[in-house]
């Protein structure tokens, strides 16, 4: 009686389907019936013939697959998942490194924001608030966790929406950085052109002196015109000029928006790779199932051999 009960438990465990990993063998996408689908054509044909001979019709006219065929198919599927175990471990480790780097970047972004918020007029944080800046910057951990849980709740649609939004913001960020580099550093940039026009030109060349004299004559003629004709020299949109205070406030808001965009992108990357770490740790756990199935399979054969002898 004890032997029959143990045999029934072993058969039930071996007939239990293998959990599907997040990625790996072909049967994970192709379906349950294609364990070893990428094997040679001869082996697939032989397996189909073996399944056909081991199947027998049931009362409804269908085909009932034998326990041996189910156990053999589950063993093959479990073996294939176990074959991917080193890749699962490597993917989990690489994703964890990316998560830590992303959180490190987010920590420094938040630390910079809080430092500017709590610093005095000399951009120095008082000693009493330095610990506060550090603990406030650790909110990046909770930001990554909340985005991670939101991605799990919303599923594939929320994940795709988050990725698309981050991609658009990344393109805008890269374009903005390219514009700043072109504005400040390139030879034809606006800032460089303004610096060149503001510098005094060398008046030793006779051609330059000629153009300078011509420009002085035109300037004198322009100043001699009546005030009523000055409005016809160009097109004016009538827009008010921004004051220095408004420009300073706009500069602060642009800096805050840029820091927020970078923080959002890096936080999204950290949350996505945290999900990758979680999925690959689950894959490693599924890959360990093959060892237990082999032990149960050997024990089942020993019980059947003992039954055959006795």
């Amino acid at each position: 009686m004890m032997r029959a009960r143990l045999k029934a438990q072993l058969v039930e465990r071996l007939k239990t389907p293998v959990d599907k990993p997040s990625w790996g063998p072909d049967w994970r996408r192709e379906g349950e019936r294609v364990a070893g689908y990428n094997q040679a054509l001869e082996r697939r044909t032989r397996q189909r013939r073996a399944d056909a001979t081991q199947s027998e019709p049931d009362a409804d006219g269908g085909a009932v697959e034998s326990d041996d065929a189910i156990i053999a198919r589950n063993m093959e599927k479990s073996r294939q998942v176990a074959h991917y175990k080193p890749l699962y471990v490597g993917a989990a480790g690489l994703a964890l490194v990316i998560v830590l780097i992303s959180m490190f970047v987010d920590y420094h972004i938040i630390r910079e924001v809080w430092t500017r918020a709590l610093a005095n007029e000399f951009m120095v944080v008082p000693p009493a608030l330095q610990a506060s800046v550090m603990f406030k910057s650790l909110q990046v951990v909770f930001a990554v966790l909340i985005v991670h849980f939101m991605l799990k709740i919303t599923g594939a649609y929320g994940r795709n929406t988050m990725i698309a939004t981050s991609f658009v913001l990344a393109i805008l960020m890269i374009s903005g950085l390219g514009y700043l580099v072109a504005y400040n550093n390139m030879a034809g940039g606006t800032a460089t052109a303004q610096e060149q026009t503001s510098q005094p030109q060398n008046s030793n060349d006779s051609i330059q002196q000629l153009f300078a004299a011509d420009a002085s004559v035109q300037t004198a003629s322009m100043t001699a015109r009546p005030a009523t004709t000055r409005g016809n020299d160009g097109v004016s949109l009538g827009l008010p000029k921004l004051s220095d205070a408004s420009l300073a406030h706009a500069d602060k808001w642009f800096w805050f928006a840029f820091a927020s965009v970078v923080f959002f992108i890096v936080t999204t990357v950290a949350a996505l790779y945290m999900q990758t770490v979680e999925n690959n740790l689950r894959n490693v756990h599924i890959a360990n199932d093959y060892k237990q199935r082999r032990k149960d399979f050997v024990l089942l054969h020993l019980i059947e051999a003992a039954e055959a002898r006795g």
Side-chain angles (χ1 to χ4, degrees):
M1 179 66 69
M2 187 67 182
R3 183 183 298 174
R5 184 181 303 173
L6 179 59
K7 180 180 178 181
Q9 292 177 356
L10 291 175
V11 171
E12 189 66 25
R13 285 204 297 263
L14 291 173
K15 289 175 61 178
T16 303
V18 181
D19 294 333
K20 288 185 178 181
S22 60
W23 61 278
D26 294 337
W27 61 264
R28 193 196 71 83
R29 291 183 177 273
E30 299 294 337
E32 296 252 343
R33 302 287 301 182
V34 289
Y37 191 77
N38 56 351
Q39 302 295 329
L41 180 61
E42 182 180 357
R43 182 177 177 181
R44 290 185 301 181
T45 305
R46 186 168 59 249
Q47 182 67 30
R48 289 174 184 173
R49 291 175 180 175
D51 291 342
T53 56
Q54 292 175 356
S55 301
E56 54 185 10
D58 60 358
D60 297 333
V64 177
E65 195 174 11
S66 64
D67 292 344
D68 293 338
I70 296 175
I71 292 174
R73 188 177 74 249
N74 290 337
M75 288 290 294
E76 174 64 17
K77 290 165 61 177
S78 181
R79 184 196 66 80
Q80 291 180 4
V81 176
H83 185 69
Y84 277 79
K85 183 178 178 180
L87 297 179
Y88 293 146
V89 174
L94 180 62
L96 183 60
V97 170
I98 295 176
V99 169
L100 295 177
I101 294 175
S102 302
M103 294 179 68
F104 178 77
V105 173
D106 274 346
Y107 173 80
H108 279 276
I109 292 174
I110 297 299
R111 186 179 180 87
E112 178 69 18
V113 172
W114 280 110
T115 299
R116 292 199 177 192
L118 300 179
N120 53 22
E121 63 273 13
F122 302 104
M123 294 301 297
V124 176
V125 180
L129 297 178
Q130 290 181 357
S132 178
V133 170
M134 182 184 67
F135 284 107
K136 286 182 173 64
S137 301
L138 289 177
Q139 66 183 353
V140 62
V141 179
F142 302 98
V144 173
L145 288 176
I146 199 64
V147 175
H148 170 69
F149 290 129
M150 188 204 68
L151 292 176
K152 291 181 68 67
I153 292 173
T154 54
Y157 295 101
R159 184 174 181 269
N160 295 336
T161 302
M162 186 71 73
I163 292 174
T165 304
S166 301
F167 176 77
V168 173
L169 292 178
I171 294 297
L172 293 177
M173 181 185 67
I174 295 173
S175 302
L177 290 176
Y179 171 76
L180 289 177
V181 172
Y183 180 85
N184 293 320
N185 299 324
M186 295 184 68
T190 308
T192 306
Q194 290 178 356
E195 290 179 358
Q196 290 178 357
T197 55
S198 62
Q199 292 178 357
Q201 298 180 353
N202 190 7
S203 59
N204 294 328
D205 195 355
S206 59
I207 298 178
Q208 292 182 359
Q209 292 178 1
L210 178 61
F211 281 115
D214 191 9
S216 62
V217 172
Q218 291 181 359
T219 304
S221 62
M222 291 290 293
T223 54
R225 292 180 183 177
T228 56
T229 61
R230 291 183 180 178
N232 298 327
D233 293 338
V235 179
S236 178
L237 298 178
L239 297 176
K241 291 185 63 177
L242 295 176
S243 61
D244 294 337
S246 300
L247 291 176
H249 288 299
D251 180 68
K252 293 179 181 179
W253 280 108
F254 277 120
W255 176 85
F256 180 75
F258 182 77
S260 301
V261 167
V262 176
F263 178 79
F264 176 79
I265 294 173
V266 180
T267 303
T268 303
V269 171
L272 290 172
Y273 276 92
M274 183 177 290
Q275 195 172 22
T276 303
V277 172
E278 181 181 347
N279 292 335
N280 282 282
L281 289 179
R282 177 179 174 273
N283 295 339
V284 172
H285 179 72
I286 295 174
N288 291 329
D289 179 66
Y290 182 62
K291 294 182 180 179
Q292 185 63 37
R293 285 182 182 268
R294 283 194 304 176
K295 293 179 181 178
D296 294 341
F297 190 74
V298 171
L299 184 58
L300 178 62
H301 274 276
L302 291 178
I303 293 176
E304 291 178 348
E307 289 180 349
R309 287 196 306 268

